[in-house]
Amino acid sequence: GQSKILHYLPKNLQVVKNNLLPIPPLFTMIQEAAGTSWQEMYQVFNMGQRLEIYTDNATAQSIIAIARGFNIDAQISGYVAQAKKKEVRIESEKGIFTYH
């Protein structure tokens, strides 16, 4: 799920994911059939985001260019910032969700 990074995140950092790829229809079907909240969906599933790499902006741009050379969608999905406590914040079309 999108909150899994909490297991590896130092206690003074926050991950903000505010530019996620579009949600594949499969996840909407699961959410509707199960009646699960979107907050739980982002916690349990990757929501179509696939691989995440945490790196600096210049390296990210190089990785994105390489991915596009193989016809793979890639983009910067968010950022890491200093925080009082570790958390993941999802800012998506389905709402804003915070995980600790």
Side-chain angles (χ1 to χ4, degrees), residues 31-88:
Q31 188 275 333
E32 289 173 353
T36 304
S37 71
W38 284 107
Q39 182 162 4
E40 185 175 351
M41 291 292 294
Y42 279 100
Q43 186 173 11
V44 173
F45 297 106
N46 71 9
M47 303 301 286
Q49 297 311 300
R50 303 178 298 267
L51 176 67
E52 290 183 351
I53 298 172
Y54 291 81
T55 189
D56 61 89
N57 190 54
T59 304
Q61 295 305 324
S62 295
I63 292 169
I64 290 168
I66 291 167
R68 288 187 179 151
F70 288 96
N71 203 25
I72 298 170
D73 288 335
Q75 65 188 41
I76 294 176
S77 297
Y79 60 92
V80 178
Q82 293 290 317
K84 292 181 181 178
K85 60 182 176 180
K86 70 178 177 177
E87 68 179 21
V88 174

Side-chain angles (χ1 to χ4, degrees), residues 1 9 14-15 18 21 25 29 42 47 53 55 73 79 99:
L9 196 62
Q14 172 191 50
V15 173
N18 62 353
L21 295 167
M29 292 170 55
Y42 279 100
M47 303 301 286
I53 298 172
T55 189
D73 288 335
Y79 60 92
Y99 307 91

